[in-house]
Amino acid sequence: MAERRSFSAAAADLGVSPSAISQTVKALEARVGAPLFMRTTRSVGLTQAGEMFLERAAPAYAGLTDAYEAARNLGNRPAGRLRINLMRGAVQPLFEPIIAGFCEAYPDIELEIYADDGLADLSAGGFDAGVRMGETLDADVIAVRLTGPFRFVAAAAPAYLDRHGRPETPEDLRDHRCIRFRYATGGLMPWTFERGNREYEVPVTGPVIVNDWIAAMVAMRAGVAMGMLAEPVAKTMVASGDLELVLTEHASSTSGLFLYYPSRKQVMPKLRAFIDHVREYLPDQVNG
């Protein structure tokens, strides 16, 4: 209205009727408490109050328009900051194979990886999505499978096995030095095994408790104690000669890794691009 100086021209620009424009202006003037436009049979002009209102409101309107366009662009193409909350043990096997390719394929996405072993409140933390084991997820989230099922296996450095011997059954671990992992909740991760169709825990003790998988692997490589870790990670360390697997016939299976996000959250193009890229480029040993 202020630019066009005509009810009919403004109505045509907005695709509404002149009467709708007139009613909107009347309602705005009623809220302001002063006339904003001078109306004659030939033209429409601004009053002093109208000029003041336009001067103050124009920057805010321009900012709102820019915000609308920016949000619409993010909704139409993969762009912006993508914040992923990822359990620490999955950082290396999940991201090492794909991060360079993803950043190159989507240069308009700023990828933020937040390593955290707690089950994060995504909305409270400002995260777009998280990656966790399927067993830990709540029923009210949307979960997208990233890997196939894999096992957790016991392993030790050759030096440790030379000094302490090789356990023949899971029960033998009671006499071994074992690394225990403490969850963010405060509890210790159980050492779980399978025999037939039965899954059971073996209580273990040892000289080291960690809350980080990198620290656990450092202690294992040093021969301090045995550890329990995901088989895809263990395989690379076995191939390098750092570790040897034990009790593999009793290893317990997991459902695999899932990306999850709140069910009420719309999947933005940046998140959809990440899901598709990770699922396409994960190595065979992680997909199972």
Side-chain angles (χ1 to χ4, degrees):
M1 273 290 300
E3 294 177 354
R4 301 289 279 166
R5 305 294 171 130
S6 166
F7 280 80
S8 58
D13 289 344
L14 296 174
V16 299
S17 67
S19 61
I21 292 288
S22 179
Q23 292 299 320
T24 300
V25 170
K26 287 181 181 179
L28 179 59
E29 289 178 328
R31 292 193 63 182
V32 172
L36 302 177
F37 294 92
M38 296 180 294
R39 305 164 179 82
T40 69
T41 56
R42 295 184 179 181
S43 65
V44 176
L46 287 171
T47 65
Q48 182 179 3
E51 291 176 351
M52 184 179 297
F53 185 90
L54 178 62
E55 181 182 353
R56 302 288 179 86
Y61 177 77
L64 182 62
T65 301
D66 290 344
Y68 171 79
E69 289 299 322
R72 186 174 68 171
N73 287 336
L74 283 180
N76 291 333
R77 64 186 178 88
R81 180 174 298 174
L82 179 64
R83 302 190 73 222
I84 305 295
N85 187 295
L86 180 71
M87 58 187 294
R88 286 187 174 92
V91 172
Q92 186 273 334
L94 190 65
F95 276 91
E96 185 174 342
I98 64 95
I99 188 168
F102 179 80
C103 292
E104 182 177 352
Y106 300 99
D108 293 331
I109 295 179
E110 182 181 32
L111 182 63
E112 180 176 348
I113 306 302
Y114 188 90
D116 177 19
D117 285 319
L119 194 59
D121 184 331
L122 298 180
S123 297
F127 297 103
D128 294 287
V131 176
R132 293 293 186 276
M133 305 292 293
E135 295 90 335
T136 66
L137 299 181
D138 294 332
D140 62 348
V141 301
I142 302 298
V144 179
R145 178 177 288 279
L146 296 180
T147 75
F150 55 82
R151 304 189 303 172
F152 263 80
V153 293
Y160 173 89
L161 297 175
D162 289 343
R163 287 196 304 271
H164 301 282
R166 180 181 295 269
E168 300 297 329
T169 69
E171 288 75 13
D172 291 343
L173 293 174
R174 295 188 177 95
D175 299 322
H176 278 267
R177 298 156 59 90
C178 298
I179 299 167
R180 289 165 292 169
F181 185 90
R182 189 176 298 282
Y183 292 126
T185 57
L188 294 173
M189 185 187 82
W191 282 50
T192 304
F193 297 90
E194 292 181 0
R195 180 175 286 127
N197 295 324
R198 185 172 68 92
E199 186 175 271
Y200 63 100
E201 297 178 11
V202 174
V204 298
T205 60
V208 178
I209 297 175
V210 300
N211 71 337
D212 180 83
W213 291 106
I214 301 299
M217 287 186 279
V218 167
M220 292 172 66
R221 278 206 271 305
V224 174
M226 300 179 60
M228 179 80 76
L229 69 167
E231 191 168 19
V233 178
K235 283 182 176 180
T236 62
M237 299 176 70
V238 170
S240 66
D242 290 330
L243 296 180
E244 293 182 20
L245 301 184
V246 298
L247 304 172
T248 54
E249 66 275 21
H250 299 289
S252 61
S253 298
T254 71
S255 62
L257 291 175
F258 288 77
L259 181 141
Y260 71 101
Y261 54 92
S263 58
R264 64 183 179 278
K265 191 177 185 69
Q266 179 184 3
V267 180
M268 298 287 286
K270 59 184 179 180
L271 180 56
R272 173 52 57 192
F274 177 78
I275 294 171
D276 293 343
H277 190 88
V278 172
R279 296 180 77 177
E280 181 177 357
Y281 289 100
L282 279 178
D284 293 339
Q285 67 263 30
V286 178
N287 279 314

